[in-house]
Every structure is written in C-alpha cells, then in structure tokens.
C-alpha cells in the first residue's frame, strides 16, 4: 500500500514537473515571438522613417558645395501623347513633356523629354506583378503598366526619378483620337517646317516651308517620322516643340479675348482625356496660362543627351550633368 502511494506521489510530481516545463516553454516561445514582433515593428518603423526621409530628400539638396531649396511655388504637369486611337489607351507614350507653372515668378516653362530616353522604369510581368526597376526606354513606362491610369502613374514615377526625385503633381494623357479636338481648341496654327524630316512624305514638306496646321494635318506634323532613318524621333521632337510653342501662344490670346468661352471648350477637351486634373481646376490652369509669362525662345527646354543605336531600337542617353543643371535651374533656389 505504501509503495502504491509512493508511485502515485511520483506520478503527481512528474505531472507537476511536466506542466511546469510546458508553462516555461510556452513562456519562452511567447517571449521569443514578442521579441520578433518587436524587432519587426521596429524595423518597419525604421524603414518607414527611411522611406519618408527618402521621399522628401528632394526638398533640400547639396550640389558642388552649395545648398539648394526646392521651389514650393511650382506646379508640375506631365503631358503624354499615346500612340493609339479610339478607346484603346494601352499603347506607348510617344510624346512626353513636362509643364512647370511657377506661381511665385508667374511664368510657365516647358521641358521636352525624348521617348527613347534610357532611364529606370518599373517593369511588370504578363499578369501584372511588379518586377522592380529596370533600365528601359521611357516610353515603355506607360506600356509596361498596361496603360490607362496606372500607365500614367508609372510614367509620372519614372520621370520624377529621372529628374532626381522632384514631385510631379498632375498628369494628362490623350491618344490620337483626342488630337483633333485638342487642336480645334485653338484653331489654325501657322508654323515653319524646321528640317528635312518630313521630306520623305512629299517634296512640298521641305525645310523652311510655311505650313498651316489644321485638325486634318496636325497628326502628320507632330507624329510622322521615317522609321527607316536612324534617330528619327529627334526631328519629330523638334516639330512637337514648335507645335507646343505655337499652341500655348494662341491659347493665351484666346483666353484673353474670351476667357469663359475658352475655358468651357477646355473642359470639354479635358473630359475626353485621361487626367487627374479635375474639371473644377481647369479654370485655375486657364488663368495661369493667360496671365503668366511665356517666351517660346526662353522658356522651352529639351533634356540633353546623345542618340545611340541600340540592339533593337534607337536609344537616347541622357547627359546626367546637363540634366542636373537643368533641374537646379528650374526647380530650385540657391540658399
């Protein structure tokens, strides 16, 4: 009987020891899990802070021994022309330009960017998974994202990264079907053909020839290029710059003559484009376009670089030093 009580006592003691061990192990596991969670949260908080810091690094920069402050009076608008028609908005961005409205100095500047610029863009696979940054033609930033709103946002992001992180607030994109309505907003424009890049179409398109642009021939002027000719996008960009200069000058005149009527027509055009500019904001942009100074010879810029023959397509290699100077000139104030 005594032996049985002893065995029973030993079994109870072993059960107590086992329970205690389970409790200790559970406490250890819980402690380890809490420690890991704490570490993960600390790392997340740290990475979030670092991400926030990186996001705002453009505000104050130090270049060649001098300090610069970002000009917060600026409003940036990315302009894109998509090489499709109808309701199809899934092509490539053939035309890329950055409009800068300076509310402090009351002026407008236009920066033209080559579609062939070799820069970092986000790449997506066939099912839309983000594969990270890759050096590609800038025009593909829109295409890789599947076009539409996401394509606009990815092009915004790529151009911002290209311009050393400066913020790009707005975008607007239209395809070829929107071009006639866009042009008819200002009506006929008289321009001069700047080079021989259109002669392959007809001998009448010789360098120096005057041309009246209408909704019927504007696509030929701003989009045509001889794809059999190396670096043909360079000539097209010259014509696009000439068109934008003439367009903005004519728009300023029309706004001064009939502000409300022109704004109404602008709203109709914007409603047929893909943009994050609200219709309520069109009037504000119209006021800036009318009142702000714009000198076509002084306020139009082109990102500098050199043309190269790529493995499959022409490539434009950006002059990074010249681009940095352009960014400092337009977007920063020296402290």
């Amino acid at each position: 009987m005594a032996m049985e009580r002893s065995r029973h006592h030993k079994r109870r003691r072993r059960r107590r020891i086992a329970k205690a061990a389970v409790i200790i192990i559970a406490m250890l596991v819980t402690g380890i899990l809490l420690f890991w969670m704490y570490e993960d949260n600390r790392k997340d908080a740290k990475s979030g802070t670092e991400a926030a810091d990186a996001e705002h690094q453009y505000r104050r920069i130090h270049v060649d021994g001098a300090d610069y402050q970002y000009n917060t009076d600026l409003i940036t608008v990315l302009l894109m022309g998509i090489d499709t028609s109808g309701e199809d908005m899934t092509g490539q961005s053939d035309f890329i330009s950055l409009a800068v409205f300076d509310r402090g100095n009351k002026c407008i500047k236009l920066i033209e960017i080559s579609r062939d610029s070799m820069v970092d863009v986000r790449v997506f696979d066939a099912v839309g998974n983000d594969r990270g940054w890759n050096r590609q033609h800038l025009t593909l930033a829109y295409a890789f994202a599947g076009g539409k709103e996401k394509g606009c946002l990815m092009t915004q992001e790529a151009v911002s990264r290209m311009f050393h992180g400066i913020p790009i607030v707005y975008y607007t994109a239209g395809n070829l079907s929107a071009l006639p309505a866009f042009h008819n907003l200002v009506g006929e424009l008289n321009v001069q053909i700047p080079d021989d890049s259109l002669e392959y179409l007809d001998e009448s398109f010789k360098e120096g020839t005057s041309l009246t642009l209408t909704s019927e021939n504007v696509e030929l002027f701003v989009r045509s290029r001889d794809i059999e000719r190396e670096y043909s996008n360079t000539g097209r960009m010259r014509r696009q710059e000439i068109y934008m200069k003439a367009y903005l000058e004519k728009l300023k005149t029309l706004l001064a003559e009939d502000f409300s009527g022109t704004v109404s027509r602008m709203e109709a055009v914007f409603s047929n484009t893909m943009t994050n500019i609200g219709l309520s904001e069109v009037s504000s942009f119209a006021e800036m376009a009318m009142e702000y100074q714009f000198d076509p010879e002084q306020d139009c810029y082109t990102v500098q670089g050199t043309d190269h023959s790529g493995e499959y397509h022409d490539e434009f290699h950006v002059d990074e030093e010249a681009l940095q100077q352009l960014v400092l000139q337009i977007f920063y104030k020296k402290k």
Side-chain angles (χ1 to χ4, degrees):
M1 193 72 176
M3 290 179 62
E4 186 177 343
R5 282 198 300 269
S6 177
R7 285 196 297 269
H8 180 68
H9 179 72
K10 288 179 179 178
R11 283 198 298 271
R12 288 179 62 187
R13 191 172 66 173
R14 283 198 296 268
R15 283 199 294 268
R16 285 198 298 269
I17 292 172
K19 286 181 180 178
V22 169
I23 292 171
I24 292 170
I25 292 171
M27 290 175 65
L28 286 172
V29 170
T30 302
I32 291 169
L33 289 174
L34 288 172
F35 175 76
W36 284 348
M37 290 171 64
Y38 168 77
E39 283 296 299
D40 286 344
N41 288 336
R42 190 169 65 85
K43 288 175 182 177
D44 287 344
K46 183 179 179 183
S47 63
T49 302
E50 288 172 351
D53 289 343
E55 183 182 347
H56 296 95
Q57 281 180 358
Y58 73 89
R59 294 179 182 272
R60 297 178 183 85
I61 60 175
H62 186 80
V63 180
D64 294 334
D67 293 318
Y68 295 85
Q69 178 86 32
Y70 182 77
N71 183 0
T72 55
D73 287 329
L74 304 182
I75 298 177
T76 48
V77 184
L78 187 65
L79 310 174
M80 290 167 280
I82 313 304
D83 65 351
T84 57
S85 58
E87 297 182 359
D88 184 8
M89 293 292 289
T90 58
Q92 299 180 8
S93 48
D94 262 2
F95 168 77
I96 305 169
S97 184
L98 189 60
V100 183
F101 294 82
D102 188 335
R103 293 168 294 180
N105 295 313
K106 295 190 180 300
C107 64
I108 302 171
K109 299 185 186 299
L110 291 176
I111 307 172
E112 194 165 8
I113 310 166
S114 172
R115 70 185 294 280
D116 293 330
S117 298
M118 300 301 293
V119 298
D120 289 339
V121 304
R122 281 197 183 277
V123 177
F124 297 83
D125 63 21
V127 293
N129 295 315
D130 188 343
R131 295 304 183 188
W133 294 95
N134 194 273
R135 184 175 169 82
Q136 297 283 347
H137 291 78
L138 178 58
T139 184
L140 296 178
Y142 182 88
F144 280 145
K148 302 180 181 178
E149 289 82 3
K150 188 175 180 181
C152 291
L153 291 172
M154 292 301 98
T155 306
Q156 246 184 321
E157 186 178 33
V159 173
S160 173
R161 188 179 176 99
M162 175 184 178
F163 277 67
H164 301 193
I166 60 105
I168 299 176
V169 182
Y170 294 101
Y171 67 79
T172 184
N175 66 8
L176 295 171
S177 295
L179 185 55
F182 177 78
H183 181 83
N184 283 336
L185 177 61
V186 298
E188 294 184 350
L189 292 175
N190 296 313
V191 298
Q192 193 172 65
I193 298 176
D195 50 37
D196 63 355
S197 60
L198 286 179
E199 278 194 53
Y200 77 100
L201 293 174
D202 191 281
E203 289 187 1
S204 62
F205 295 117
K206 290 183 178 180
E207 180 178 351
T209 302
S210 295
L211 182 66
T212 299
L213 296 178
T214 67
S215 59
E216 295 180 352
N217 67 0
V218 64
E219 181 183 337
L220 178 150
F221 186 75
V222 300
R223 183 170 180 255
S224 296
R225 63 170 178 149
D226 185 356
I227 59 174
E228 301 299 324
R229 186 174 180 175
E230 279 191 324
Y231 320 133
S232 56
N233 186 57
T234 301
R236 178 168 63 177
M237 284 181 65
R238 282 196 207 97
R239 286 181 268 116
Q240 290 170 347
E241 181 181 358
I242 288 170
Y243 179 74
M244 290 302 295
K245 287 178 178 179
Y247 190 95
L248 188 51
E249 282 193 291
K250 182 74 174 289
L251 180 61
K252 286 171 69 69
T253 300
L254 293 174
L255 286 167
E257 292 173 351
D258 178 14
F259 183 81
S260 60
T262 305
V263 168
S264 294
R265 293 193 294 276
M266 287 176 68
E267 291 173 346
V269 170
F270 269 85
S271 66
N272 290 317
T273 62
M274 198 158 44
T275 182
N276 63 348
I277 298 175
L279 291 181
S280 61
E281 297 173 290
V282 173
S283 180
S284 297
F285 278 101
E287 287 180 7
M288 288 188 287
M290 177 180 66
E291 297 173 359
Y292 288 11
Q293 177 185 344
F294 175 73
D295 183 342
E297 303 308 317
Q298 300 287 331
D299 298 322
C300 287
Y301 304 82
T302 301
V303 173
Q304 299 299 306
T306 53
D307 289 307
H308 293 264
S309 295
E311 185 176 358
Y312 301 107
H313 303 287
D314 291 345
E315 297 179 355
F316 184 79
H317 294 185
V318 174
D319 182 333
E320 292 296 340
E321 185 175 341
L323 177 59
Q324 184 178 69
Q325 292 306 311
L326 180 64
V327 169
L328 292 176
Q329 177 184 347
I330 294 179
F331 298 97
Y332 285 88
K333 297 177 180 178
K334 195 170 184 178
K335 293 179 69 176

